[in-house]
Amino acid sequence: MPPHRQSSNLTAQLISPCNPMAFSNATDFQIDRSTFNDIRGDYNQRIQLDFNQQINVHARDQDIPNRLYSVMKNHISTAAYHNSGMRREISSCHPGTREVALKIISDWAEDPASHCLWLRGPAGTGKSAIAYTIAERCRLDRTLGATYFFARGSITNSPPHFFPTLAYQLALAVPDLRDPLCTALCEDPAVLDKSMSEQLDTLIVQPLLTLSNQPEHTVIIIDGLDEYDCTRGPAIQTDIVRLILGLGEHSFPLRFIISSRPETGIRRAFESPCSSLTHLPLDTVDPLRDILLPRSPLNTMYPDRDIRRFLYDKLGQVYEDCVKDKTLVALRTTWPPYEAIEQLVKKSSGHFIYASTVVKFIQEGHGNPVDRLEAVLQAPSATAFQELDQLYLHILRKAGDPEELKWILRAIMYLDDKAKLVSNLEAIFSRISGIRFLLGNLRSIVEVTKLSEAIPVCEHISEFLEVRFFHASMNDFLLDPARSCEFYVSLGQFQAGLAFEYARLIIL
């Protein structure tokens, strides 16, 4: 076949598994700048080879992952991997904490009677940390099939990418699935743009059905389903749940862990009859706990012990570092004091987000950690979210002028990633002096990253730093005027203010 000159860079793809007879018995040859037509009946597939692509037909089985990636790369979201470098790193469970929940999940994964576990709880209860820890454990013992970690306002919120992303990872984890998946993509390349039900059946179910020997139990972890942007399709969350629950009719060795808040739509989807569904509530008070899990260890799985250990370890390390750096004179008494830890545990009310925010405030702020702990303890006693609100308000009121801060906070919430670069915020809100200083005062609740790596705001920073909140609970706080008080700005007010700032820039 004569070579055909290409005028642009081509996508590298190896010889298609649909045509195993191509170049039969040929080895160690090179094809330059060529386009091949694989014609079979009415089916015509063009395979484009990259410039100077060397092909060894006998080694093509080892190249299937590369071939799959070249075909699927525009339809998978690598940012959704639990260990993706395209977003901020998720912390694993602190050593010695969440051991009851982790053991229940580990035991469940080997139970053939259940194929889906719903890990649920309100914001700040540590769901993502548990999901990440399980993912890492499964990765190390080679039982991890795939992960998909949703993130609010990120590129992971794309329904067409969900099942292709899972299918691609499964093919990497279970080599026997690679050929069936390649065949499925060759027979129907357009499946990557079809409905989720079609994608699930074509890319996962049918390839699994072709296997004579099913793999051992393989865990698929979906975290933060509630973070999916429902404005792009409010039924997507429930569709995902129902499709996964529907897999219970097969005898596949897949074990799905779905982590989310117990929001109405998701809860209703999980209430549909399914004998192979397991519930794991992290709520300290859950109305379904005693009904679904009588006499279960979950009835005693309160996180106070874990939060206590977390606070002792983290604050103790802060104290030791300050003494070592000679920024704090060693105290004659134990620090942190027992009474202070117990107050913080009580204020947390089972929410790790409160404890972790306290640690960030004491650890990363300026000044004496002893004084900063005392300032936190002065907040009035109330329920968990009221305590979190008091902590957020305390941090914000110490950070700077509320009139300036609230515009920066809203910009972090509403602007897209490119607009949230520090340099862009400085340009848009040029009338606010010292934006970097303000961000430095917010280090316990705001993260400034460069290439997905956190760096200190107080040091010299480049023009390519992105700003985001450490936790989604900050968004919920700012959206409620009763909670955020003087820092509340409605979406309409923000849009009007932003238009004013842009108009001022144009005039200037």
Side-chain angles (χ1 to χ4, degrees):
M1 181 176 294
H4 178 75
R5 184 174 302 275
Q6 302 295 313
S7 60
S8 61
N9 292 330
L10 301 178
T11 302
Q13 296 188 14
L14 301 184
I15 292 296
S16 167
C18 295
N19 188 10
M21 297 303 295
F23 303 98
S24 178
N25 299 321
T27 61
D28 300 321
F29 61 89
Q30 179 173 318
I31 300 174
D32 294 335
R33 307 192 178 194
S34 297
T35 298
F36 294 87
N37 292 328
D38 177 14
I39 302 175
R40 210 175 314 176
D42 294 331
Y43 181 76
N44 185 322
Q45 181 188 22
R46 172 170 290 184
I47 302 173
Q48 296 179 322
L49 301 177
D50 199 9
F51 296 152
N52 304 317
Q53 174 66 58
Q54 295 186 8
I55 304 170
N56 187 324
V57 176
H58 288 303
R60 66 176 179 268
D61 287 344
Q62 287 76 19
D63 292 326
I64 288 179
N66 293 332
R67 187 160 58 238
L68 280 174
Y69 181 73
S70 68
V71 172
M72 301 180 70
K73 63 182 179 181
N74 293 327
H75 299 271
I76 61 177
S77 178
T78 56
Y81 293 8
H82 78 284
N83 54 359
S84 172
M86 299 175 67
R87 52 171 169 71
R88 75 175 181 87
E89 185 177 352
I90 299 174
S91 299
S92 58
C93 295
H94 185 71
T97 65
R98 291 305 199 190
E99 291 179 336
V100 174
L102 294 172
K103 176 150 192 333
I104 290 172
I105 296 174
S106 297
D107 292 344
W108 162 86
E110 299 181 4
D111 179 10
S114 174
H115 87 286
C116 183
L117 181 145
W118 181 26
L119 176 68
R120 69 173 184 270
T125 49
K127 300 182 296 298
S128 292
I130 292 174
Y132 181 88
T133 302
I134 290 293
E136 278 298 289
R137 290 185 179 184
C138 291
R139 182 183 65 84
L140 293 174
D141 64 20
R142 298 183 180 276
T143 59
L144 183 64
T147 57
Y148 201 104
F149 279 49
F150 285 93
R152 184 180 302 185
S154 80
I155 58 176
T156 63
N157 286 335
S158 178
H161 291 180
F162 180 71
F163 283 114
T165 302
L166 298 184
Y168 174 73
Q169 293 177 83
L170 273 174
L172 297 184
V174 183
D176 288 347
L177 283 174
R178 296 173 186 177
D179 277 335
L181 180 56
C182 283
T183 301
L185 288 169
C186 286
E187 292 177 350
D188 185 8
V191 70
L192 295 171
D193 295 313
K194 290 185 177 180
S195 68
M196 289 197 301
S197 59
E198 286 279 347
Q199 290 177 344
L200 174 60
D201 183 65
T202 303
L203 302 178
I204 296 179
V205 174
Q206 295 305 319
L208 280 168
L209 289 175
T210 66
L211 302 185
S212 55
N213 295 318
Q214 292 289 331
E216 304 233 348
H217 71 273
T218 303
V219 178
I220 297 175
I221 301 173
I222 302 161
D223 179 66
L225 180 58
D226 55 279
E227 297 287 356
Y228 173 78
D229 184 4
C230 287
T231 61
R232 303 177 63 179
I236 297 297
Q237 295 172 334
T238 56
D239 287 346
I240 288 174
V241 172
R242 288 170 181 148
L243 287 170
I244 290 175
L245 292 182
L247 293 176
E249 64 187 43
H250 299 284
S251 58
F252 298 145
L254 301 182
R255 303 286 182 268
F256 287 87
I257 299 173
I258 302 178
S259 162
S260 77
R261 301 183 193 181
E263 295 184 349
T264 303
I266 297 175
R267 178 181 284 273
R268 286 176 179 170
F270 276 113
E271 287 174 352
S272 58
C274 181
S275 59
S276 59
L277 171 64
T278 298
H279 293 255
L280 179 51
L282 295 180
D283 315 48
T284 54
V285 178
D286 191 302
L288 298 178
R289 182 187 300 277
D290 294 329
I291 299 173
L292 297 170
L293 299 155
R295 297 182 299 279
S296 164
L298 291 176
N299 286 311
T300 59
M301 194 181 67
Y302 299 117
D304 286 1
R305 177 186 65 85
D306 294 342
I307 291 175
R308 184 178 293 108
R309 175 166 184 167
F310 172 79
L311 289 168
Y312 266 122
D313 290 352
K314 290 293 188 179
L315 295 183
Q317 187 62 51
V318 171
Y319 173 76
E320 291 178 8
D321 291 344
C322 288
V323 171
K324 186 183 297 183
D325 296 340
K326 297 182 180 181
T327 56
L328 179 68
V329 178
L331 303 175
R332 294 183 179 180
T333 57
T334 302
W335 197 90
Y338 170 81
E339 295 80 7
I341 294 295
E342 291 306 303
Q343 285 186 56
L344 293 177
V345 171
K346 183 178 180 180
K347 288 173 178 288
S348 296
S349 295
H351 292 75
F352 267 86
I353 179 60
Y354 179 85
S356 63
T357 305
V358 167
V359 169
K360 286 188 178 77
F361 177 70
I362 295 173
Q363 184 179 45
E364 301 180 2
H366 302 291
N368 190 319
V370 177
D371 294 337
R372 293 176 75 81
L373 174 59
E374 185 61 32
V376 171
L377 295 174
Q378 291 176 359
S381 179
T383 62
F385 285 110
Q386 288 174 317
E387 290 293 348
L388 187 58
D389 294 351
Q390 290 292 333
L391 181 60
Y392 281 158
L393 286 171
H394 174 80
I395 294 170
L396 293 175
R397 287 166 179 165
K398 291 283 187 180
D401 183 352
E403 284 302 311
E404 295 182 344
L405 275 174
K406 64 184 182 182
W407 291 104
I408 301 301
L409 295 172
R410 284 286 157 169
I412 297 173
M413 280 186 62
Y414 288 126
L415 296 182
D416 61 29
D417 290 343
K418 290 183 179 179
K420 285 191 291 190
L421 296 178
V422 172
S423 56
N424 289 340
L425 292 179
E426 290 178 323
I428 296 171
F429 300 101
S430 57
R431 63 183 176 82
I432 300 177
S433 61
I435 286 182
R436 301 189 187 199
F437 177 79
L438 291 176
L439 293 174
N441 290 339
L442 296 172
R443 290 176 62 191
S444 56
I445 58 176
V446 170
E447 181 185 36
V448 179
T449 59
K450 177 183 179 181
L451 299 177
S452 300
E453 296 177 359
I455 65 171
V457 179
C458 57
E459 296 180 4
H460 175 70
I461 51 182
S462 74
E463 301 300 310
F464 303 98
L465 300 182
E466 182 183 351
V467 186
R468 65 184 73 187
F469 295 129
F470 272 111
H471 198 275
S473 63
M474 190 66 190
N475 295 61
D476 300 332
F477 166 81
L478 291 172
L479 287 170
D480 189 340
R483 296 176 62 188
S484 52
C485 300
E486 69 265 32
F487 298 97
Y488 173 76
V489 177
S490 69
L491 175 59
Q493 289 176 315
F494 176 77
Q495 291 172 331
L498 189 62
F500 173 82
E501 295 295 340
Y502 277 125
R504 194 174 62 84
L505 288 175
I506 294 173
I507 294 172
L508 294 177

